[in-house]
PDB file of all heavy atoms in Angstrom:
ATOM      1  N   LYS B1312       7.001  62.899  54.218  1.00 93.00           N
ATOM      2  CA  LYS B1312       7.303  61.547  53.563  1.00 93.00           C
ATOM      3  C   LYS B1312       8.713  61.161  53.900  1.00 93.00           C
ATOM      4  O   LYS B1312       9.596  62.066  53.958  1.00 93.00           O
ATOM      5  CB  LYS B1312       7.198  61.896  51.996  1.00 93.00           C
ATOM      6  CG  LYS B1312       5.870  62.037  51.367  1.00 93.00           C
ATOM      7  CD  LYS B1312       6.047  62.075  49.952  1.00 93.00           C
ATOM      8  CE  LYS B1312       4.763  62.568  49.352  1.00 93.00           C
ATOM      9  NZ  LYS B1312       4.815  62.739  47.865  1.00 93.00           N
ATOM     10  N   PRO B1313       8.939  59.917  53.915  1.00 92.00           N
ATOM     11  CA  PRO B1313      10.324  59.462  54.168  1.00 92.00           C
ATOM     12  C   PRO B1313      11.145  59.690  52.867  1.00 92.00           C
ATOM     13  O   PRO B1313      10.716  59.690  51.805  1.00 92.00           O
ATOM     14  CB  PRO B1313      10.148  57.931  54.363  1.00 92.00           C
ATOM     15  CG  PRO B1313       8.711  57.539  54.154  1.00 92.00           C
ATOM     16  CD  PRO B1313       8.019  58.818  53.783  1.00 92.00           C
ATOM     17  N   ASP B1314      12.471  59.887  53.136  1.00 89.00           N
ATOM     18  CA  ASP B1314      13.336  60.010  51.893  1.00 89.00           C
ATOM     19  C   ASP B1314      13.955  58.713  51.673  1.00 89.00           C
ATOM     20  O   ASP B1314      13.687  57.628  52.236  1.00 89.00           O
ATOM     21  CB  ASP B1314      14.343  61.230  52.049  1.00 89.00           C
ATOM     22  CG  ASP B1314      15.196  60.942  53.291  1.00 89.00           C
ATOM     23  OD1 ASP B1314      15.293  59.854  53.833  1.00 89.00           O
ATOM     24  OD2 ASP B1314      15.769  61.990  53.791  1.00 89.00           O
ATOM     25  N   ASN B1315      15.052  58.711  50.756  1.00 86.00           N
ATOM     26  CA  ASN B1315      15.722  57.432  50.432  1.00 86.00           C
ATOM     27  C   ASN B1315      16.424  56.799  51.537  1.00 86.00           C
ATOM     28  O   ASN B1315      16.839  55.636  51.473  1.00 86.00           O
ATOM     29  CB  ASN B1315      16.678  57.701  49.313  1.00 86.00           C
ATOM     30  CG  ASN B1315      15.974  58.085  48.015  1.00 86.00           C
ATOM     31  OD1 ASN B1315      14.827  57.810  47.954  1.00 86.00           O
ATOM     32  ND2 ASN B1315      16.727  58.880  47.169  1.00 86.00           N
ATOM     33  N   THR B1316      16.610  57.495  52.636  1.00 89.00           N
ATOM     34  CA  THR B1316      17.422  56.931  53.749  1.00 89.00           C
ATOM     35  C   THR B1316      16.524  55.999  54.641  1.00 89.00           C
ATOM     36  O   THR B1316      17.110  55.470  55.543  1.00 89.00           O
ATOM     37  CB  THR B1316      18.192  57.986  54.551  1.00 89.00           C
ATOM     38  OG1 THR B1316      17.134  58.825  55.131  1.00 89.00           O
ATOM     39  CG2 THR B1316      19.213  58.800  53.718  1.00 89.00           C
ATOM     40  N   PHE B1317      15.232  55.982  54.354  1.00 90.00           N
ATOM     41  CA  PHE B1317      14.383  55.222  55.073  1.00 90.00           C
ATOM     42  C   PHE B1317      14.786  53.708  55.099  1.00 90.00           C
ATOM     43  O   PHE B1317      15.178  53.256  53.917  1.00 90.00           O
ATOM     44  CB  PHE B1317      12.838  55.307  54.623  1.00 90.00           C
ATOM     45  CG  PHE B1317      11.853  54.496  55.394  1.00 90.00           C
ATOM     46  CD1 PHE B1317      11.200  55.140  56.397  1.00 90.00           C
ATOM     47  CD2 PHE B1317      11.579  53.236  55.085  1.00 90.00           C
ATOM     48  CE1 PHE B1317      10.349  54.485  57.260  1.00 90.00           C
ATOM     49  CE2 PHE B1317      10.709  52.553  55.834  1.00 90.00           C
ATOM     50  CZ  PHE B1317       9.990  53.133  56.841  1.00 90.00           C
ATOM     51  N   PRO B1318      14.784  52.851  56.061  1.00 90.00           N
ATOM     52  CA  PRO B1318      14.202  53.135  57.389  1.00 90.00           C
ATOM     53  C   PRO B1318      15.095  53.862  58.405  1.00 90.00           C
ATOM     54  O   PRO B1318      14.745  54.170  59.456  1.00 90.00           O
ATOM     55  CB  PRO B1318      13.899  51.674  57.890  1.00 90.00           C
ATOM     56  CG  PRO B1318      15.022  50.976  57.272  1.00 90.00           C
ATOM     57  CD  PRO B1318      15.336  51.553  55.995  1.00 90.00           C
ATOM     58  N   ASP B1319      16.370  54.238  58.014  1.00 89.00           N
ATOM     59  CA  ASP B1319      17.236  54.835  58.934  1.00 89.00           C
ATOM     60  C   ASP B1319      16.677  56.168  59.474  1.00 89.00           C
ATOM     61  O   ASP B1319      16.888  56.543  60.617  1.00 89.00           O
ATOM     62  CB  ASP B1319      18.581  55.150  58.305  1.00 89.00           C
ATOM     63  CG  ASP B1319      19.474  53.927  58.200  1.00 89.00           C
ATOM     64  OD1 ASP B1319      19.128  52.870  58.927  1.00 89.00           O
ATOM     65  OD2 ASP B1319      20.376  53.891  57.446  1.00 89.00           O
ATOM     66  N   SER B1320      15.959  56.860  58.627  1.00 89.00           N
ATOM     67  CA  SER B1320      15.521  58.176  58.852  1.00 89.00           C
ATOM     68  C   SER B1320      14.106  58.121  59.569  1.00 89.00           C
ATOM     69  O   SER B1320      13.436  59.177  59.640  1.00 89.00           O
ATOM     70  CB  SER B1320      15.300  58.929  57.560  1.00 89.00           C
ATOM     71  OG  SER B1320      14.508  58.299  56.743  1.00 89.00           O
ATOM     72  N   ALA B1321      13.662  57.006  60.057  1.00 90.00           N
ATOM     73  CA  ALA B1321      12.360  56.853  60.575  1.00 90.00           C
ATOM     74  C   ALA B1321      11.993  57.833  61.664  1.00 90.00           C
ATOM     75  O   ALA B1321      10.924  58.235  61.852  1.00 90.00           O
ATOM     76  CB  ALA B1321      12.101  55.379  61.048  1.00 90.00           C
ATOM     77  N   GLU B1322      12.962  58.230  62.442  1.00 90.00           N
ATOM     78  CA  GLU B1322      12.787  59.167  63.514  1.00 90.00           C
ATOM     79  C   GLU B1322      12.170  60.473  63.035  1.00 90.00           C
ATOM     80  O   GLU B1322      11.519  61.205  63.815  1.00 90.00           O
ATOM     81  CB  GLU B1322      14.041  59.531  64.336  1.00 90.00           C
ATOM     82  CG  GLU B1322      14.332  58.426  65.406  1.00 90.00           C
ATOM     83  CD  GLU B1322      15.188  57.308  64.880  1.00 90.00           C
ATOM     84  OE1 GLU B1322      15.445  57.298  63.672  1.00 90.00           O
ATOM     85  OE2 GLU B1322      15.483  56.318  65.688  1.00 90.00           O
ATOM     86  N   ASN B1323      12.676  60.905  61.869  1.00 92.00           N
ATOM     87  CA  ASN B1323      12.441  62.305  61.478  1.00 92.00           C
ATOM     88  C   ASN B1323      11.045  62.490  60.793  1.00 92.00           C
ATOM     89  O   ASN B1323      10.685  63.630  60.547  1.00 92.00           O
ATOM     90  CB  ASN B1323      13.395  62.722  60.327  1.00 92.00           C
ATOM     91  CG  ASN B1323      14.872  62.440  60.885  1.00 92.00           C
ATOM     92  OD1 ASN B1323      15.113  62.598  62.074  1.00 92.00           O
ATOM     93  ND2 ASN B1323      15.787  62.011  59.956  1.00 92.00           N
TER      94      ASN B1323
END
Side-chain angles (χ1 to χ4, degrees):
Chain B
K1312 285 186 196 180
D1314 59 19
N1315 291 336
T1316 61
F1317 185 88
D1319 287 343
S1320 58
E1322 276 90 357
N1323 310 325

